[in-house]
Amino acid sequence: MAKRGKTVRIRGSRPGFWVYAGLAVVLVASVFPLYFSFLIGSGDASTLRDPNRSWIPGGNFFANAAAVMNDGAVNFWLALWNSIWSSTIIAVSVVVFSTLAGWAFAKLRFPGGPALLAFVVATMAVPQQLGVVPLYVLFSEIGWTGQIGAIIVPALTSAFGVFWMTQYLRQSVPDELIEAARVDGASMIRVFWTVGVTAARPAAAMLFLFTFVTAWNNFFWPFIVLDRQNPTLPVALSLLQSNYFVDYSIVLAGVVLATLPLLLLFVVAGKQLVSGIMAGAVKG
Amino acid sequence: MTATITDRGTASGAPSPGRPVRVLSFSQRLSRWDVKLSPYLYISPFFIVFAVAGLFPIVYTAVISFMDWDQIRRSGEWVGFDQYAWILQQPKFWVALGNTFSIFLLSSVPQLILATFIAAMLDRHIRARTFWRMSALLPYVVAPVAVGLIFNALFADNSGQVNEWLGFFGIGPIPWHVEPFWSHVAIATMVNYRWTGYNALILLAAMQAIPRDYYEAATVDGAGPFRQFWSVTLPSLRPTLIFVIITSTIGGLQIFDEPRMFDQFGRGGAGSQWLTITLYLYDIGWGEWNFGRASAMAWILFIIILAIGLINLLVTRSLVRDEGGRGPVLTRAERRAAARARRREARA
């Protein structure tokens, strides 16, 4: 990074010290903010403002975590549970419906297909903000404000998901396979089930991960429509700050707690996420 | 819905043994409907949800934006373009627009440059490849709200960590939460933290698709590493760079989470230093409960995004044309395969 000449590849040649030094800087930059929040989260109210604080975590993390968990106004456990089940439903639903639609767009010919696919892609440019006012009016009309259903239903399908599965299935399934199955008398859904779903599995796994992470971290719409008594984790975190801004050790202990589940997911599936982003990029 | 198709599939797949001839024709008829209808059934969930959560809100936002909306009665009076005029006359709106673009530029420009260099490093023949890639992607799974809280602490005005570090270099404390420009820098840093690694991986994928011959040829021609990067790598990355610019533009103009969390009040600072358009929209909508104005604001934001999207479309048209070219080729192959299958069937 420091010396341009060295970072730039002559392909296949062994990279020098500077490449590893640069990557180490990236690693530290990625990890440091998380460590910092654990550091402050394990101290007490004065830690953040103490210029001579130690870089070794203090012993208050569990006390601070308990303060977060037992805070009746923030509802941490309910928020955790809400985040888990709503993100899971959204991710499963997006994967199922995107695989179905992607299969149709990639492998079935039907009048209007290409135009409808173009329409799906075009909807990706519509900003979320354009829908929030009427959606709020709609959901308050049917009494769903404050309900997790209000954040699940609009997210049940995704234009990105449909596009992603279409691209993947178009490249990974030979048409002869479908024709052979049709000739053997398989119904459309049978062909989808045996040929399509089997082929779609790797892309479906990545779509699940992306959708899950996005749904878990989503803030704007849940913040608007959810009750303060029935939050998701990001909404609960935002409440923590307004309740505890004088004691940042509790706020950042809450951040650590809320980030842990996704860090675990990242440890387990980070490799897939990496290859998913890279696979998606080649087509983009 | 799936159940319906499965039922039909079973009916055509397992004809009842009693009357084979009639059942066969029945199943053939079923099969034709199956072929015709299935694609529409498969894509219908997307369009149903989009109708409810996408199309209806867009149209209704337009309607509400022409009204003086009363959320308690859930109706409003028609006021024409008054709400738009009101928005455009607010000095706060123009401040928010300026802030949004300032934060957007401060995040996307350094982010792209950094991401390109990180990608170039990851593109080398390094050991523990996956480990380094994952370390770059790690921030992507941290919620923007969490990032906001962490960096809010890091950028504390009085003896925050960043100011302390700057002190080592003899730089006096920077008022991150007071000066508009510095608050934009701090918020842009949060955005960069979360997205640089992600974009680096996208650019890395594009770099790996560059044929090695290009570099060999460049080496033969006597181009040094820097020249190779400038004349081979960067031009090959152009379509991907455009893609990254488009996505970060759409995301950047909608920024809400990070500025919202930058202090405990969430209103964009005492003097609107870091008020963004979406933050302002939220305040008008759910702070003042003025849905007509909030809707007008949403449409103005959409028009801005559309305008920038249109410029992007003009630039990327060559890309899109390439993409569309695949359709007919595949279709013809499909048709040939179908014809072959039909011939085989006739012979049997």
Side-chain angles (χ1 to χ4, degrees):
Chain A
M1 223 161 102
K3 282 192 184 176
R4 269 175 173 166
K6 292 231 172 183
T7 57
V8 176
R9 133 263 350 262
I10 296 166
R11 286 209 168 204
S13 72
R14 200 160 278 291
F17 166 77
W18 285 108
V19 171
Y20 288 104
L23 290 172
V25 171
V26 174
L27 173 68
V28 170
S30 293
V31 174
F32 174 75
L34 297 175
Y35 179 76
F36 181 78
S37 81
F38 178 67
L39 183 78
I40 303 298
S42 64
D44 56 33
S46 69
T47 316
L48 181 63
R49 264 161 280 150
D50 179 6
N52 299 317
R53 78 178 105 80
S54 151
W55 283 104
I56 295 155
N60 279 344
F61 181 74
F62 290 104
N64 292 333
V68 173
M69 288 170 181
N70 299 327
D71 187 305
V74 175
N75 278 324
F76 181 82
W77 290 110
L78 182 63
L80 178 67
W81 172 240
N82 281 338
S83 281
I84 290 173
W85 72 268
S86 65
S87 303
T88 308
I89 290 178
I90 289 170
V92 168
S93 160
V94 164
V95 165
V96 170
F97 290 140
S98 298
T99 312
L100 267 170
W103 175 253
F105 282 129
K107 289 297 161 188
L108 309 179
R109 271 172 297 121
F110 55 101
L116 287 171
L117 179 61
F119 180 79
V120 171
V121 174
T123 65
M124 282 197 263
V126 178
Q128 200 190 0
Q129 286 81 352
L130 204 52
V132 288
V133 170
L135 274 184
Y136 186 85
V137 173
L138 175 73
F139 282 128
S140 55
E141 191 78 45
I142 60 174
W144 276 25
T145 44
Q147 309 292 318
I148 299 295
I151 63 164
I152 294 178
V153 169
L156 284 176
T157 61
S158 116
F160 167 76
V162 172
F163 180 64
W164 167 268
M165 290 312 283
T166 304
Q167 292 286 72
Y168 184 83
L169 288 170
R170 189 176 274 166
Q171 288 168 7
S172 59
V173 181
D175 295 313
E176 283 75 9
L177 203 59
I178 301 166
E179 280 309 322
R182 287 294 296 161
V183 167
D184 287 347
S187 65
M188 295 298 271
I189 192 71
R190 180 96 189 272
V191 177
F192 167 72
W193 191 254
T194 50
V195 181
V197 170
T198 313
R201 254 177 223 160
M206 287 176 210
L207 183 59
F208 181 92
L209 284 174
F210 283 124
T211 314
F212 191 88
V213 172
T214 310
W216 186 282
N217 289 337
N218 195 14
F219 178 60
F220 183 58
W221 174 238
F223 181 67
I224 287 175
V225 80
L226 290 184
D227 211 289
R228 300 295 176 260
Q229 289 306 310
N230 190 29
T232 56
L233 274 178
V235 177
L237 278 184
S238 75
L239 295 176
L240 262 187
Q241 171 158 274
S242 37
N243 290 1
Y244 287 98
F245 70 96
V246 280
D247 188 350
Y248 238 69
S249 62
I250 293 179
V251 177
L252 289 180
V255 166
V256 172
L257 287 178
T259 309
L260 269 181
L262 275 203
L263 283 185
L264 287 177
L265 181 77
F266 186 72
V267 169
V268 175
K271 208 174 157 181
Q272 276 73 26
L273 262 178
V274 167
S275 51
I277 287 167
M278 291 183 58
V282 176
K283 287 152 208 155
Chain B
M1 183 173 312
T2 318
T4 337
I5 306 169
T6 316
D7 289 348
R8 193 179 292 139
T10 321
S12 65
S16 62
R19 305 157 75 180
V21 180
R22 275 195 61 188
V23 170
L24 192 69
S25 74
F26 175 66
S27 85
Q28 275 173 342
R29 210 166 54 217
L30 258 186
S31 169
R32 201 160 49 223
W33 278 109
D34 189 17
V35 171
K36 274 190 183 163
L37 274 183
S38 291
Y40 296 106
L41 282 176
Y42 297 174
I43 64 171
S44 58
F46 173 83
F47 287 93
I48 290 167
V49 174
F50 181 74
V52 174
L55 206 56
F56 155 77
I58 293 170
V59 176
Y60 211 48
T61 304
V63 173
I64 293 177
S65 74
F66 292 116
M67 286 180 166
D68 188 4
W69 184 264
D70 181 354
Q71 175 57 11
I72 295 171
R73 289 187 291 122
R74 295 208 186 93
S75 65
E77 274 167 48
W78 201 260
V79 294
F81 279 96
D82 284 10
Q83 309 290 28
Y84 289 88
W86 185 87
I87 297 275
L88 295 176
Q89 281 164 14
Q90 297 305 302
K92 247 186 164 182
F93 167 76
W94 297 101
V95 171
L97 187 67
N99 290 346
T100 306
F101 272 97
S102 167
I103 293 171
F104 163 64
L105 286 177
L106 282 169
S107 55
S108 55
V109 174
Q111 191 183 116
L112 273 182
I113 296 170
L114 260 176
T116 310
F117 279 103
I118 294 172
M121 290 191 292
L122 289 169
D123 194 31
R124 298 291 302 271
H125 193 66
I126 47 172
R127 291 177 203 280
R129 224 173 40 168
T130 309
F131 171 79
W132 295 114
R133 288 179 184 175
M134 276 176 70
S135 79
L137 189 66
L138 174 68
Y140 171 72
V141 301
V142 184
V145 170
V147 174
L149 291 172
I150 297 170
F151 280 77
N152 184 20
L154 281 168
F155 281 105
D157 289 9
N158 301 316
S159 65
Q161 192 57 51
V162 177
N163 274 344
E164 205 181 309
W165 281 332
L166 289 175
F168 293 142
F169 299 102
I171 301 170
I174 289 175
W176 300 105
H177 288 75
V178 180
E179 279 284 317
F181 174 76
W182 292 116
S183 69
H184 299 175
V185 171
I187 291 167
T189 307
M190 305 178 195
V191 181
N192 292 338
Y193 172 69
R194 191 150 186 271
W195 290 105
T196 303
Y198 180 93
N199 286 328
L201 289 179
I202 289 178
L203 291 168
L204 171 62
M207 279 183 194
Q208 297 197 327
I210 303 172
R212 277 149 201 252
D213 316 9
Y214 291 9
Y215 293 100
E216 279 166 25
T219 312
V220 170
D221 288 349
F226 179 71
R227 184 69 206 272
Q228 287 187 15
F229 181 75
W230 200 253
S231 306
V232 177
T233 310
L234 275 186
S236 312
L237 289 183
R238 215 171 54 189
T240 312
L241 279 172
I242 291 169
F243 169 79
V244 172
I245 291 169
I246 295 174
T247 47
S248 66
T249 309
I250 293 176
L253 295 181
Q254 299 178 49
I255 189 168
F256 176 81
D257 303 8
E258 293 89 349
R260 171 84 205 177
M261 304 313 296
F262 195 49
D263 68 7
Q264 72 268 26
F265 307 112
R267 304 198 56 169
S272 308
Q273 302 97 306
W274 62 89
L275 184 77
T276 63
I277 293 187
T278 307
L279 212 50
Y280 193 32
L281 186 156
Y282 175 82
D283 239 25
I284 290 175
W286 286 269
E288 301 170 12
W289 294 97
N290 196 325
F291 281 5
R293 283 172 185 169
S295 298
M297 188 85 151
W299 263 96
I300 291 170
L301 177 64
F302 182 47
I303 289 164
I304 294 170
I305 291 177
L306 265 191
I308 291 173
L310 226 84
I311 296 167
N312 281 323
L313 196 74
L314 292 175
V315 178
T316 49
R317 219 170 30 194
S318 58
L319 246 181
V320 175
R321 205 184 299 137
D322 181 31
E323 201 66 53
R326 267 188 235 156
V329 175
L330 256 177
T331 315
R332 226 175 292 134
E334 265 175 13
R335 234 178 273 140
R336 269 202 302 276
R340 232 179 296 133
R342 245 179 279 127
R343 274 198 300 277
R344 227 179 304 142
E345 197 177 20
R347 244 179 280 128

